[in-house]
Each structure stands twice: as structure tokens, then as C-alpha cells.
Amino acid sequence: MSARKPTVLLTGFAPFGGEDSNPAWEAVQRLAGKSIRGHRVVTRCLPVAFGASLQALRQAIADSEPALVLCIGQAGGRAQLSLERIAINVDDARIPDNEGARPIDEPVIADGPAAYFSGLPIKAMLAALRAAGIPAEVSQTAGTYVCNHVFYGLMHALRDGPVRGGFVHIPYSPDQAARHPGAPSLSVDTVVEGLRIALATALTVRVDQRIAAGSEH
Ligand code: PCA
């Protein structure tokens, strides 16, 4: 009987908000099937829709039985890989999702706790990324749109088990930024390398480092 190689689940999202691509999925796809610290990377593209995104995520977790889950989304306007610290129990959509839904001040999970912290060692991930020359930050909010919805739903789904999970936002790609003059960007190549480092760190570090990454606003 041969033991199956453990897996990590890495998700991206479909395009949204008038963009014709989502570099979160482009980057994630490029790690499909790769081996990172003895784990095979399983990938899934989630719909940008409040209900369907979490259904797809739960299904992907059931299918791949991962040791660790990392969800990736795009945050156009941010300048660095954003390691999200906290998911909150709020859906408040500034723009409709891809199915036209626009919840306002609704909980992600009725009667769920106000928030969950990331289950990943975000400070160690930050240090590893910076050491590799990849711009990164700890983010204190994942917003209140579909990414926060998925992050909160992920942490809720994993709350009683051994599987760890977290969320990373990425900037525009250079071609997207060319259509948003002045907006910062990171190449998909750099994002792919950053995600590889983030996953390798998350898989090996159990006790996070204690380094400052707070913000005043
Ligand atoms: N970013 C959006 C949803 C999908 C994505 O890639 C967000 O930040 O909520």
C-alpha cells in the first residue's frame, strides 16, 4: 500500500470588476501539480460570487483533502503581496458580484464569530518573501467583498480541524496596471515565485516569528 502524497490546495478567482483576466488564477495555475516541501499543489478557480465561491471551496477541500489551504485573490491598487491577518463576518459589496448579488451588511455565516485570524505564519512568510526580494506586507483587512467572504468561510470550515488555511491578495499585473495609469503592479512571474515561497514557509513553520508588521491606519 503506497501512501498518497499529501496535498496543498491553492485557489484563485475568475476575472471580476470589468477586468478580462485575474492574475490570481494565472499565478495559481502555474503551480498546479508542482511539489512544494513534499506536498503536491492542487489548484481550483473559484467564481467571484458570494454563495457559489464558498460552495466551490468546500467541494475543493473535500476532493483534495489538503494539509493546508491558501486562497489567492486580486486587490488592484495594492503594491505588494498582501498576507491577510484577519477575516471578518461581514459581506458588504461595493460592486455586484459576477452573478449580480450585492449583499450589504450581511454575515458570511449567521451566528459565526465576528472574525477569524489566519491560520498561517504570516510574519515568517513576510520575512521569507522580503529575504527573497519580493515585496510583501501584512494586511489588516481583506475587505468585505468575495475574497473576505471566502477567507472567512475557509477559516470557519477549518475551525475545529488540523488543516491550516489563509489568504493572500496580489496587486494588478503590469498589463492591467497599464489600463489603470499610476496603479502599482507585480509581474505574474514574481507572484508565482512569491506564492511558492509563501507555501514553502507555511508548510515548514509551525510557530510564527515575532516581528512588527502593524500599521497606524
Ligand atoms: N478579488 C476580489 C474577489 C475576487 C478577487 O480576485 C476581492 O478582493 O474580494
Side-chain angles (χ1 to χ4, degrees):
M1 205 177 93
S2 68
R4 264 173 64 208
K5 193 172 190 170
T7 62
V8 295
L9 175 62
L10 185 64
T11 71
F13 279 101
F16 72 104
E19 299 292 327
D20 54 18
S21 67
N22 191 331
W25 174 236
E26 289 174 27
V28 162
Q29 249 181 322
R30 285 179 31 189
L31 289 167
K34 295 270 190 291
S35 182
I36 299 180
R37 294 284 193 272
H39 291 69
R40 183 171 53 87
V41 179
V42 175
T43 60
R44 209 56 82 86
C45 185
L46 304 179
V48 182
F50 280 93
S53 56
L54 265 184
Q55 281 167 21
L57 178 67
R58 290 191 193 106
Q59 188 62 52
I61 292 172
D63 292 346
S64 57
E65 298 179 352
L68 187 145
V69 185
L70 183 61
C71 299
I72 314 299
Q74 163 142 82
R78 292 199 191 173
Q80 317 185 66
L81 289 191
S82 263
L83 311 173
E84 298 296 348
R85 190 196 291 262
I86 189 164
I88 61 174
N89 195 11
V90 175
D91 288 336
D92 191 348
R94 185 182 59 79
I95 54 172
D97 71 15
N98 285 358
E99 291 178 1
R102 203 180 159 195
I104 295 175
D105 296 346
E106 289 176 21
V108 179
I109 307 278
D111 303 322
Y116 286 106
F117 287 115
S118 173
L120 303 183
I122 53 173
K123 301 292 185 70
M125 292 158 73
L126 179 72
L129 287 163
R130 288 181 174 168
I134 294 175
E137 65 186 352
V138 165
S139 161
Q140 324 300 348
T141 173
T144 57
Y145 192 51
V146 178
C147 287
N148 174 75
H149 181 86
V150 160
F151 184 20
Y152 185 94
L154 170 69
M155 299 318 298
H156 189 76
L158 302 182
R159 69 193 179 285
D160 292 325
V163 179
R164 294 178 301 144
F167 198 100
V168 172
H169 265 121
I170 66 165
Y172 283 134
S173 60
D175 62 302
Q176 286 180 305
R179 295 189 295 274
H180 298 276
S185 65
L186 268 189
S187 73
V188 173
D189 283 351
T190 302
V191 173
V192 171
E193 181 60 5
L195 296 183
R196 206 186 53 71
I197 291 166
L199 276 175
T201 307
L203 284 166
T204 47
V205 175
R206 289 283 159 169
V207 179
D208 204 0
Q209 292 180 26
R210 188 164 176 274
I211 51 176
S215 59
E216 284 71 62
H217 52 81

